[in-house]
Amino acid sequence: MKYTIDKKENYTIITIDEKKLDTSIAPDLKSEFVKLNAEGITNLILDLSSVKYTDSSGLSSILIANRLCNSSNGLLIMTGLQDHVMKLITISKLESVLNILPTVEEAIDRVFLHEIEQDLTNKED
């Protein structure tokens, strides 16, 4: 699987450099998500700009990442979704479950907003 990981202080960007996110790639991607979560990374930005096609196994790996991020009070944000990928998410009725934004820059802004919200919530408790 071809991908890059860019770790920052408050988030990590994973850019998938593949045309297809399918059964040949999904298990490796799931493993990477689990490993990052174990390292304490809670906010992931998944850049799918290069991905033209995904199947149910690719979607499953994304849902695992979403669950891992949510369980650690973080966010998974998907960016750069192509038509086919968005169509599968819509058909699966997951657009309300997954965080989807057009660009990585908007995703970074959303992560910082989430961090501020978390800080405010923690101060109230």
Side-chain angles (χ1 to χ4, degrees), residues 41-95:
I41 293 170
T42 59
N43 296 310
L44 289 176
I45 297 171
L46 185 58
D47 184 359
L48 298 175
S49 301
S50 298
V51 178
K52 306 275 187 235
Y53 170 84
T54 190
D55 63 8
S56 59
S57 62
L59 198 53
S60 173
S61 65
I62 291 168
L63 289 171
I64 286 172
N66 193 55
R67 183 176 46 83
L68 290 169
C69 290
N70 287 340
S71 68
S72 56
N73 293 319
L75 281 177
L76 169 73
I77 303 173
M78 299 168 52
T79 67
L81 271 64
Q82 303 294 319
D83 289 343
H84 180 274
V85 177
M86 191 62 210
K87 192 177 291 183
L88 180 62
I89 289 169
T90 303
I91 290 169
S92 304
K93 305 234 184 274
L94 293 171
E95 68 273 14

Side-chain angles (χ1 to χ4, degrees), residues 21-32:
L21 178 51
D22 57 15
T23 53
S24 64
I25 294 172
D28 293 337
L29 189 58
K30 285 180 193 177
S31 297
E32 194 61 48

Side-chain angles (χ1 to χ4, degrees), residues 75 110-122:
L75 281 177
R110 180 64 186 99
V111 166
F112 282 110
L113 180 61
H114 177 74
E115 292 289 309
I116 292 168
E117 290 169 348
Q118 290 290 92
D119 287 346
L120 291 173
T121 301
N122 292 337

